[in-house]
Amino acid sequence: MSFEASTSLAEQIADYIGQQIITGQLKDHERIQEQKFAKQLEVSRGSVREALLILEARHLIDIIPRRGAVVSALTIQHVENFYEVVIVLYVLLAQKVATIWKDDDLKPFMEMAREMRELVANKDQKEFFSMTFKFGQKANPLVKNTYLEEILVNLAPVALRTRHVADTVNQYSMEESLEFNNNIIDGVRDRNMDVIKKVVVDYYTKQRDLVIAAIRESEASAVEVS
Amino acid sequence: MSFEASTSLAEQIADYIGQQIITGQLKDHERIQEQKFAKQLEVSRGSVREALLILEARHLIDIIPRRGAVVSALTIQHVENFYEVVIVLYVLLAQKVATIWKDDDLKPFMEMAREMRELVANKDQKEFFSMTFKFGQKANPLVKNTYLEEILVNLAPVALRTRHVADTVNQYSMEESLEFNNNIIDGVRDRNMDVIKKVVVDYYTKQRDLVIAAIRESEASAVEVS
């Protein structure tokens, strides 16, 4: 059996197509043309098909019988549902870190928060954006819950996509991220479960509302144009 | 593109192999022989390989580079991690039903609880076992959260597997299930979020402890034998 080679190629193709969905280059309901990507990336259609299954598991595309793959719509309903789930999982992850950390376990998080502060000073939004997600991922090797980790890995692309949408209508996105990092580190360090819950709920509820506002705005401008 | 046909065959193969893992016929670390199943089920090795990817997503097997697929170990650590995640998700699901139900929405649950009471009277453990899981699944079409639903679908096989293990050391499993159903229906009907949380946490914490006890027992008897 040789899963690793084919999986890693499919993963790369999935990342490539996924990035276009996350950044909005591929839009809601847009058809993903298997043959086009196979040709463009010089890979087999089988590999693209495998990548599409990965993207489906990551909630970025829908595979519709007899129609093929299309970009999943990010409706207000989807956004509400998504935040409902990730909020409880992020609370669980952070509370778990708070329960188990010892010695220097929190040092990498503090170090990362410091680096992110510098990125804000340098207005390096792109690097900051990618680091935001590494911050959360750092918790997984500490918590060692493979079920939770896999769920969060599968939800991460939608988290990137919604964050991308929220940032289009939020000029203080980086500053608020920084504040969130500091607050969550404090709560985890103090092992204060109520603080952790409140910090996560407040931050992501606000982010959710921004995403919804952005979707409403783009719907309104679409109506104006038509 | 023709995903549906191949997916459904792979799903069937995954269900077939999965059932053997859930019921303990295939044991921890046991090798899943691709060729054996392909021959036995008269399907291509490609279809079996696709089924293995489904089983991996459902946490029943691990695919190890250059070694192939093996049955995931159900260690105490796995069991603790699993219940940690499903408990918060089941609470979310039940509280969501409590928030949104109207009119006759709860009727199918009450009907099902009644049928299950009859199955207990008739000591039909097998049908009861399968119905336990349909009870929870009935909440999904009501809640309509595709993210949550997919996560729960992927966790369901491990839930079946752990429940199967718990039942080996619990002679009151059906009666306790019934009581759980009634309590959760009451909490949901009264929209009492605290009751719902307590009922879910208590029931699944007890189930988790039974699974852990069963694993300890089988480890102890393995040591005795060797």
Side-chain angles (χ1 to χ4, degrees):
Chain A
M1 234 182 305
S2 63
F3 279 99
E4 68 291 18
S6 73
T7 300
S8 108
L9 176 60
E11 286 275 352
Q12 286 171 50
I13 301 167
D15 286 346
Y16 177 84
I17 301 174
Q19 198 54 33
Q20 302 195 1
I21 298 170
I22 289 164
T23 54
Q25 290 165 266
L26 285 167
K27 307 230 177 295
D28 285 18
H29 303 293
E30 198 167 328
R31 176 94 195 274
I32 312 279
Q33 288 172 315
E34 205 177 297
Q35 202 163 9
K36 192 191 95 181
F37 281 106
K39 218 169 167 181
Q40 191 179 324
L41 300 171
E42 296 179 26
V43 296
S44 72
R45 289 185 65 157
S47 298
V48 175
R49 213 172 298 134
E50 222 181 302
L52 295 182
L53 292 174
I54 295 170
L55 289 168
E56 190 187 30
R58 293 184 185 160
H59 309 278
L60 291 180
I61 67 166
D62 298 315
I63 296 173
I64 301 166
R66 276 172 298 278
R67 264 200 61 205
V70 298
V71 176
S72 298
L74 198 61
T75 64
I76 291 171
Q77 180 74 48
H78 280 105
V79 172
E80 284 173 349
N81 288 340
F82 175 74
Y83 281 95
E84 207 165 78
V85 174
V86 290
I87 285 173
V88 302
L89 296 174
Y90 289 162
V91 169
L92 176 65
L93 185 71
Q95 289 185 337
K96 192 72 195 175
V97 176
T99 309
I100 61 173
W101 76 266
K102 53 180 173 33
D103 308 329
D104 286 343
D105 281 345
L106 300 185
K107 233 177 158 175
F109 295 94
M110 293 172 186
E111 176 60 26
M112 206 171 222
R114 202 190 50 71
E115 281 174 48
M116 288 174 81
R117 229 175 354 256
E118 279 170 29
L119 291 172
V120 174
N122 301 330
K123 298 192 196 304
D124 189 344
Q125 194 162 5
K126 207 175 159 196
E127 183 58 25
F128 185 91
F129 186 82
S130 96
M131 213 145 174
T132 307
F133 286 86
K134 288 184 196 140
F135 186 83
Q137 282 160 5
K138 263 201 178 342
N140 282 317
L142 214 59
V143 168
K144 293 194 193 77
N145 185 330
T146 50
Y147 304 102
L148 181 57
E149 181 172 357
E150 205 202 290
I151 293 169
L152 291 175
V153 165
N154 279 332
L155 292 175
V158 178
L160 285 162
R161 193 181 179 196
T162 50
R163 172 66 190 265
H164 198 274
V165 174
D167 282 3
T168 61
V169 291
N170 183 15
Q171 61 181 127
Y172 302 109
S173 147
M174 290 200 289
E175 289 77 4
E176 287 169 10
S177 249
L178 272 191
E179 202 195 330
F180 170 73
N181 290 348
N182 292 333
N183 291 340
I184 202 81
I185 287 174
D186 288 350
V188 167
R189 184 201 56 214
D190 300 341
R191 308 193 203 270
N192 190 327
M193 303 306 165
D194 292 337
V195 166
I196 291 169
K197 188 172 176 184
K198 191 181 158 27
V199 169
V200 172
V201 170
D202 288 354
Y203 179 73
Y204 285 102
T205 302
K206 189 185 168 186
Q207 191 178 102
R208 180 199 67 188
D209 293 343
L210 285 167
V211 177
I212 291 173
I215 291 173
R216 289 231 166 88
E217 211 166 278
S218 81
E219 281 172 355
S221 63
V223 171
E224 261 168 55
V225 170
S226 67
Chain B
M1 235 182 307
S2 63
F3 279 101
E4 68 291 20
S6 73
T7 301
S8 110
L9 176 60
E11 286 275 352
Q12 285 172 51
I13 301 167
D15 286 346
Y16 178 84
I17 301 173
Q19 197 56 31
Q20 302 196 1
I21 299 170
I22 288 164
T23 56
Q25 290 164 266
L26 285 167
K27 308 228 178 296
D28 285 18
H29 303 296
E30 199 167 327
R31 176 93 194 273
I32 311 278
Q33 288 171 316
E34 205 177 296
Q35 203 163 9
K36 192 191 94 180
F37 281 107
K39 219 169 166 180
Q40 192 179 321
L41 300 172
E42 297 178 24
V43 295
S44 71
R45 289 185 66 157
S47 298
V48 176
R49 213 172 298 134
E50 221 180 303
L52 295 181
L53 292 174
I54 295 171
L55 288 167
E56 190 187 31
R58 292 184 186 161
H59 309 280
L60 291 180
I61 67 165
D62 298 315
I63 296 173
I64 302 166
R66 277 171 297 279
R67 264 200 60 206
V70 299
V71 176
S72 299
L74 198 62
T75 64
I76 290 171
Q77 180 75 48
H78 280 105
V79 172
E80 285 173 348
N81 287 340
F82 175 73
Y83 280 96
E84 208 165 78
V85 174
V86 289
I87 284 173
V88 302
L89 295 175
Y90 289 162
V91 169
L92 176 64
L93 185 71
Q95 289 185 337
K96 191 73 195 172
V97 176
T99 309
I100 61 172
W101 77 264
K102 54 180 173 33
D103 307 330
D104 287 343
D105 282 345
L106 300 184
K107 232 177 160 176
F109 296 94
M110 294 174 186
E111 177 59 25
M112 206 172 221
R114 202 189 50 73
E115 283 173 46
M116 290 174 81
R117 228 172 359 251
E118 278 170 28
L119 292 171
V120 174
N122 300 330
K123 297 191 197 304
D124 190 344
Q125 195 162 5
K126 206 176 159 196
E127 183 58 24
F128 185 90
F129 186 82
S130 98
M131 212 143 173
T132 307
F133 285 87
K134 288 186 197 139
F135 186 82
Q137 283 160 5
K138 263 201 178 340
N140 283 319
L142 214 58
V143 167
K144 294 195 193 77
N145 185 328
T146 49
Y147 304 103
L148 181 56
E149 181 171 356
E150 205 202 291
I151 293 169
L152 292 175
V153 165
N154 279 334
L155 293 175
V158 178
L160 285 162
R161 193 180 180 197
T162 51
R163 172 67 189 264
H164 199 274
V165 174
D167 281 3
T168 62
V169 293
N170 183 15
Q171 59 180 127
Y172 303 110
S173 147
M174 290 199 289
E175 289 77 4
E176 287 168 10
S177 250
L178 273 191
E179 203 195 329
F180 170 73
N181 291 348
N182 292 333
N183 291 341
I184 202 81
I185 287 174
D186 288 350
V188 168
R189 185 202 53 213
D190 300 341
R191 309 194 203 268
N192 190 327
M193 304 306 167
D194 292 337
V195 166
I196 291 169
K197 188 171 176 183
K198 190 180 158 28
V199 170
V200 172
V201 169
D202 288 354
Y203 179 74
Y204 285 101
T205 303
K206 190 185 166 187
Q207 190 178 101
R208 180 200 67 189
D209 293 344
L210 286 166
V211 178
I212 292 173
I215 292 173
R216 289 230 165 88
E217 212 166 275
S218 81
E219 281 172 356
S221 63
V223 170
E224 262 168 53
V225 170
S226 68

